[in-house]
Amino acid sequence: MKIDLPRYEKIWITFGIGTLAAFLIIIGVMAFTMDLHPPGDNRTIIPEAISITPPFDKPGLYPSGSRNYKAAIVAKTFTFLPTEMRIPAGSTVHFEVTSPDVVHGLMIPGTNVNMLVVPGRITQFTYTFKHKGNYYLICNEYCGSGHQLMASRLIVE
């Protein structure tokens, strides 16, 4: 069966099919030979059970190795828990953050730490604090009338 299409129509159809084939080949090569995949380690938590679910039942900073720490942070109603943490300079902190109420953000100015905190999800990020100083954890996602008060502090000594 022969379809009678104008010349430019055939060129555009061929270009579209070629582009789609190139896209699928690139995705296939990345997925199967380079082992690159979209993030699939989404961890969830029941928002109503955060206060009784470890580690968020006791928010805080816990050592997990030499100069490695795990920060379990709860973002809720215009506050971060814990409100203050201390680590030595050069330490790596693995943040795990969740929220029982609404969507919040967690940003540390001067670093690339910037997380979206969604109720029911555990957001993770790892960062090494090389320099001493006071680092403020602020909410960068409008969460209500007291949003501007939502902050915590990380002191690197």
Side-chain angles (χ1 to χ4, degrees):
M1 178 173 135
K2 182 175 180 174
I3 299 174
D4 189 28
L5 293 173
R7 180 173 181 248
Y8 289 116
E9 193 82 21
K10 290 178 184 175
I11 291 171
W12 280 110
I13 289 173
T14 303
F15 178 75
I17 291 172
T19 304
L20 179 62
F23 173 76
L24 293 174
I25 289 169
I26 290 169
I27 294 293
V29 168
M30 290 175 68
F32 297 110
T33 63
M34 300 170 72
D35 201 28
L36 297 176
H37 303 282
D41 59 344
N42 290 333
R43 293 176 49 204
T44 59
I45 188 169
I46 299 170
E48 296 82 16
I50 286 175
S51 62
I52 58 170
T53 305
F56 301 106
D57 59 335
K58 295 177 185 170
L61 186 67
Y62 303 100
S64 60
S66 176
R67 293 196 176 262
N68 287 305
Y69 295 87
K70 180 178 172 183
I73 299 173
V74 176
K76 66 177 189 176
T77 320
F78 317 128
T79 188
F80 288 107
L81 297 174
T83 56
E84 184 176 299
M85 298 176 281
R86 291 177 183 269
I87 59 170
S91 296
T92 299
V93 179
H94 178 73
F95 294 95
E96 288 190 350
V97 189
T98 192
S99 169
D101 47 26
V102 297
V103 174
H104 296 279
L106 191 155
M107 177 182 166
I108 303 177
T111 70
N112 64 348
V113 178
N114 189 357
M115 298 180 271
L116 184 65
V117 184
V118 179
R121 296 228 168 159
I122 300 171
T123 305
Q124 302 176 56
F125 195 84
T126 301
Y127 186 78
T128 300
F129 292 88
K130 296 177 183 170
H131 306 289
K132 294 180 180 180
N134 289 328
Y135 294 85
Y136 291 94
L137 288 69
I138 60 171
C139 181
N140 61 354
E141 196 69 38
Y142 183 73
C143 55
S145 61
H147 164 75
Q148 73 279 1
L149 304 173
M150 192 168 175
S152 179
R153 187 166 62 161
L154 177 67
I155 301 168
V156 180
E157 301 169 320

